[in-house]
Amino acid sequence: MCAENVKGTEVRELMGKAFRGPLVTQQQQLVLAELEGDAKLVYHCGLTPKRLPDLVENNPVIAIEVMLKLMSSSQLTDYFSVLVNMDISLHSMEVVNRLTTAVDLPTEFVHLYISNCISACENIKDKFMQNRLVRLFFVFFQLLL
């Protein structure tokens, strides 16, 4: 029991760092291993829907795993809502793409995410950034097909 509390505390501390910046590989592997070993740890690691965008941008691999662990959560809709409404980026597309290949996501979520990607591409004023995001979106969209 004591060892479990130490591991849980360590994972919570690492998750706190994961929200603020990228973890080094060893830290990331530790978090992933502990989440794999204890499916309920995802509910006690400090993650909230509000903190999901920071996790997605700083540690997308961990974000993917926690989202997969949350698939049976009563808060899943809140997490999906945050994910679909966050700024479109390479990491957010990576997370959504990996989720679509791992589980059956609600069709309306995928459609809304695609729609938001298109809107984001249309609304960028900087032509270089617009071209970059459009290319990322088309790669993402191709992977969905």
Side-chain angles (χ1 to χ4, degrees):
M1 180 80 174
C2 187
E4 287 179 17
N5 287 340
V6 170
K7 287 292 187 186
T9 301
E10 190 174 7
V11 169
R12 277 191 296 283
E13 288 173 4
L14 286 174
M15 286 296 288
K17 289 180 182 180
F19 299 130
R20 295 187 301 274
L23 296 180
V24 296
T25 304
Q26 186 178 7
Q27 293 171 322
Q28 191 178 65
Q29 289 172 343
L30 176 66
V31 170
L32 294 172
E34 291 302 318
L35 287 170
E36 186 64 34
D38 181 359
K40 294 186 183 200
L41 187 56
V42 73
Y43 300 105
H44 308 288
C45 67
L47 179 67
T48 62
K50 185 178 177 182
R51 296 180 101 177
L52 182 62
D54 293 330
L55 187 61
V56 167
E57 289 307 317
N58 292 312
N59 292 282
V61 172
I62 294 175
I64 292 162
E65 289 306 312
V66 296
M67 287 298 293
L68 290 172
K69 299 282 184 215
L70 289 168
M71 284 299 155
S72 61
S73 169
S74 61
Q75 280 193 299
L76 186 60
T77 303
D78 296 335
Y79 285 99
F80 277 153
S81 178
V82 168
L83 189 56
V84 81
N85 289 307
M86 69 180 281
D87 290 340
I88 305 301
S89 68
L90 171 63
H91 288 157
S92 70
M93 286 186 206
E94 177 185 356
V95 169
V96 173
N97 179 54
R98 292 274 303 277
L99 290 174
T100 60
T101 59
V103 294
D104 287 331
L105 294 177
T107 305
E108 55 276 3
F109 165 77
V110 176
H111 289 174
L112 186 55
Y113 188 79
I114 290 169
S115 176
N116 287 351
C117 285
I118 292 169
S119 293
C121 289
E122 289 174 339
N123 294 328
I124 291 182
K125 302 296 181 221
D126 181 324
K127 290 296 180 190
F128 173 77
M129 291 304 292
Q130 185 180 44
N131 281 339
R132 183 172 179 258
L133 189 60
V134 167
R135 282 193 305 260
L136 284 172
F137 170 70
F138 276 111
V139 170
F140 165 76
F141 192 69
Q142 252 184 328
L143 292 171
L144 291 177
L145 300 177

